[in-house]
Amino acid sequence: MTEQYKIFEAELTGTDRGNPYEDIWLKATFSNDSEALEVNGFYCGGGRYKIRFMPPKPGEWTATTRSNDSSLDQIPLHCACIPAGEENHGRVLLKSQVVPCGREEEGFHFAYEDGVKFLPFGTTCYAWVNQPEEVQEQTLKTLKDSPFNKVRMCIFPKFYTYNTANPERYAFLGNEEEGFDFTRFNPEFWDNLERRIGQLDALGIETDVILFHPYDKWGFSKMGRERDVYYLKYAVDRLCHFKNVWWSMANEFDLMPWKVMEDWETYARVVVRRDVYGHLRSIHNCVQFYDHTRPWITHASIQRVDVYKTAEMVSQWCQAYGKPVVVDECAYEGNINYGWGNITGEEMVRRFWEGCIRGGYLSHGEVYVQHERIWWAHGGRLHGTSPERIGFLKQVMEDVPEGAVPLKLTSENRKDNWDVPCLCREDGSYFLYYFGFFKPLFRTYELPEGHVYEIELIDTWNMTVEKLPGTFSGSVRIQLPERQYMAIRMREV
């Protein structure tokens, strides 16, 4: 029995002559009474081939293999699929694909296949699967106890400041000294990668798989278009069956000028065609933004392009692209000499709040150099002050009612609200204001006529919620503690 949204797998035996990665193709079309999905099998070394399938609905699914290897051809397959368990919500998709959206702003969000909302609170751990076994295990333990439900990570190892060691295994066979065979994949690497993606799924964490990046001394970023496509087909064929996979075409695509725009569009077409399940897709910038209106891009993955303004731009980006916005690099908490990696925990948390109230999402990262392992690259342990506070924000956002959207300024509300972001419901039943680094002693409001509210003061840094006594209506003056990072939440009684 295979649970809905999980992986059915059949292992077959075929030829190991020549180069089966290049020479042999294997397919199967799984069908039930109303639907059919064609998947590609793959070679995994030692004469072993695998066909995988992620059943999108319960029932009996059957298939017959097709292959240019007679020993793999015309093999019947049967997948008996049972309904998803209580904690199994399926893939994360655009909310608009899953549930009807009312106001335009509601289309800037995500949901699981079963309609449960998904709020990405991500972290960056680029090369954790390229670290020693004990570091990988420690990373999983840290993530289990963290608030993060999305991890940005690379397939290829990363060569950059504070991260210069060679990994134990690579995606292709070979090594730095003798070179790599870009026609033969390394089964041990891919088996470990899949194991880690599966473990993240068991923790309820989405895997934002970065397919290319420029920080490379081994030649993986300069294989050329033909070999890039060859690699992409194999990566998608193996990984697309994991329900928690997202595709990031590149980290900082614009730092690879040897890949032209048509290359990226070609790679995107390969991923779209090869992934029959339609996982989420993005591409990430350093300075130059990609055109996030491109139809293959499901959501904007953005690195801040201003030293100071980051999450404050979420409102404009949502309107410009008409898609969910994830600021996947808003700078990192840490103390390195680069400006992208030495903001305080307070500033990291402020940016998270600012972006969420404006209708977007953010990813965390940490680079404290006094520790042997730096989270942003290696994983291991977290040492910063922001993760716990991000977890508190996550709880607040999970409690935001359906239909709440960023407040649009009008002539009627501009006087009270022009200076701070606010999430609200159009019917006036909910307001959440965030003051960031401002610290007013009091705040006055003209509450909507005919409504009575309970009001809470939220200290986003100290993680406290104070309910003010009584109820409120009409003209009110709310006393504040004259501290930064405060929020006010109003809920209709």
Side-chain angles (χ1 to χ4, degrees):
M1 294 286 184
T2 302
E3 188 176 323
Q4 182 183 7
Y5 308 131
K6 294 197 175 180
I7 298 176
F8 165 83
E9 179 178 285
E11 183 170 312
L12 311 174
T13 301
T15 183
D16 62 354
R17 296 176 183 174
N19 183 357
Y21 294 108
E22 282 192 310
D23 302 336
I24 304 301
W25 58 265
L26 172 63
K27 298 177 182 291
T29 299
F30 284 85
S31 60
N32 63 6
D33 293 336
S34 60
E35 192 172 356
L37 292 172
E38 182 182 79
V39 297
N40 292 285
F42 57 90
Y43 183 60
C44 45
R48 296 179 303 118
Y49 296 78
K50 290 183 179 180
I51 281 277
R52 288 178 177 158
F53 174 59
M54 181 183 70
K57 60 180 65 173
E60 302 296 321
W61 295 82
T62 59
T64 302
T65 64
R66 306 188 306 282
S67 177
N68 60 345
D69 177 357
S70 59
S71 58
L72 300 171
D73 193 43
Q74 298 301 306
I75 298 174
L77 302 173
H78 175 248
C79 170
C81 176
I82 59 175
E86 185 177 353
E87 298 301 318
N88 177 2
H89 304 291
R91 296 166 297 164
V92 172
L93 300 170
L94 301 181
K95 183 180 178 182
S96 57
Q97 294 177 280
V98 179
V99 295
C101 293
R103 294 179 63 178
E104 177 190 4
E105 292 87 344
E106 293 178 347
F108 301 144
H109 302 290
F110 303 95
Y112 290 105
E113 280 187 88
D114 64 357
V116 173
K117 68 179 178 181
F118 177 78
L119 308 177
F121 283 82
T123 189
T124 300
C125 216
Y126 286 125
W128 77 277
V129 296
N130 300 116
Q131 306 307 312
E133 181 79 10
E134 64 272 15
V135 179
Q136 295 183 45
E137 291 297 325
Q138 179 60 58
T139 303
L140 288 168
K141 184 177 184 300
T142 299
L143 287 169
K144 180 181 179 182
D145 299 327
S146 81
F148 303 118
N149 58 12
K150 180 174 84 77
V151 173
R152 299 179 65 228
M153 53 180 276
C154 302
I155 290 180
F156 293 129
K158 196 167 183 180
F159 181 78
Y160 188 61
T161 308
Y162 309 115
N163 185 40
T164 58
N166 285 329
E168 294 180 2
R169 53 178 84 91
Y170 301 87
F172 292 97
L173 292 175
N175 54 59
E176 185 180 10
E177 293 74 25
E178 299 173 2
F180 294 92
D181 184 347
F182 293 143
T183 71
R184 293 180 181 269
F185 297 96
N186 181 353
E188 289 185 7
F189 170 86
W190 291 92
D191 288 345
N192 180 67
L193 176 63
E194 291 174 347
R195 179 165 63 105
R196 298 311 187 190
I197 292 174
Q199 289 170 320
L200 290 174
D201 187 35
L203 295 176
I205 297 174
E206 301 294 301
T207 307
D208 203 349
V209 179
I210 298 169
L211 296 165
F212 295 101
H213 68 79
Y215 302 103
D216 172 38
K217 66 170 181 174
W218 304 276
F220 302 128
S221 66
K222 294 184 176 179
M223 296 186 294
R225 187 187 293 186
E226 182 180 349
R227 284 298 155 204
D228 284 349
V229 169
Y230 176 73
Y231 148 73
L232 285 173
K233 289 179 178 179
Y234 190 77
V236 175
D237 290 349
R238 287 196 70 140
L239 304 181
C240 71
H241 311 281
F242 290 87
K243 65 182 174 66
N244 63 321
V245 159
W246 301 21
W247 305 116
S248 176
M249 292 305 305
N251 186 63
E252 299 180 337
F253 82 96
D254 49 322
L255 297 190
M256 291 178 275
W258 52 90
K259 296 186 189 298
V260 298
M261 201 58 67
E262 181 51 36
D263 289 329
W264 296 116
E265 291 295 306
T266 297
Y267 303 155
R269 288 191 291 270
V270 171
V271 172
V272 170
R273 283 198 294 260
R274 213 78 180 183
D275 175 12
V276 298
Y277 310 107
H279 290 287
L280 296 172
R281 300 176 298 270
S282 68
I283 188 166
H284 178 75
N285 67 287
C286 181
V287 176
Q288 175 191 347
F289 277 25
Y290 207 89
D291 177 8
H292 296 295
T293 65
R294 296 292 300 149
W296 65 266
I297 295 176
T298 57
H299 63 284
S301 172
I302 289 176
Q303 177 176 172
R304 56 95 184 92
V305 293
D306 184 276
V307 175
Y308 303 105
K309 287 195 299 183
T310 56
E312 294 84 356
M313 301 298 295
V314 163
S315 307
Q316 291 92 317
W317 291 330
C318 284
Q319 293 304 316
Y321 301 124
K323 298 175 180 179
V325 169
V326 185
V327 186
D328 274 317
E329 189 174 332
C330 67
Y332 300 135
E333 178 184 352
N335 57 8
I336 65 172
N337 59 315
Y338 302 120
W340 53 259
N342 53 31
I343 65 172
T344 64
E346 289 91 338
E347 178 60 10
M348 174 67 77
V349 174
R350 187 197 71 80
R351 294 181 183 193
F352 262 76
W353 271 86
E354 189 85 30
C356 286
I357 299 298
R358 291 180 182 276
Y361 304 95
L362 286 90
S363 290
H364 154 278
E366 181 180 298
V367 280
Y368 283 108
V369 297
Q370 66 267 37
H371 303 288
E372 179 184 4
R373 304 290 180 186
I374 300 176
W375 178 261
W376 141 89
H378 310 121
R381 292 181 171 87
L382 287 164
H383 304 279
T385 57
S386 64
E388 184 180 8
R389 276 88 181 180
I390 292 170
F392 177 74
L393 166 62
K394 184 181 178 185
Q395 293 174 2
V396 171
M397 294 304 298
E398 286 172 345
D399 196 41
V400 172
E402 285 293 325
V405 297
L407 178 66
K408 288 185 176 180
L409 294 181
T410 66
S411 57
E412 289 78 20
N413 66 28
R414 182 174 295 276
K415 179 181 175 183
D416 291 337
N417 305 303
W418 66 271
D419 55 341
V420 296
C422 174
L423 267 181
C424 65
R425 279 183 55 92
E426 195 172 45
D427 62 7
S429 62
Y430 181 91
F431 295 92
L432 178 60
Y433 295 91
Y434 178 61
F435 298 106
F437 42 65
F438 300 110
K439 51 173 193 175
L441 182 61
F442 64 92
R443 190 80 175 188
T444 59
Y445 291 98
E446 292 292 332
L447 300 180
E449 186 177 349
H451 296 262
V452 179
Y453 297 89
E454 292 181 339
I455 296 180
E456 297 165 306
L457 301 185
I458 301 175
D459 186 324
T460 68
W461 183 254
N462 292 312
M463 298 177 288
T464 60
V465 179
E466 176 191 354
K467 183 179 179 299
L468 301 183
T471 58
F472 300 82
S473 61
S475 298
V476 299
R477 172 179 164 134
I478 301 172
Q479 202 69 22
L480 290 162
E482 203 175 356
R483 287 198 301 270
Q484 292 182 318
Y485 315 126
M486 297 296 296
I488 289 177
R489 180 165 59 190
M490 304 178 183
R491 291 190 270 203
E492 187 173 22
V493 176

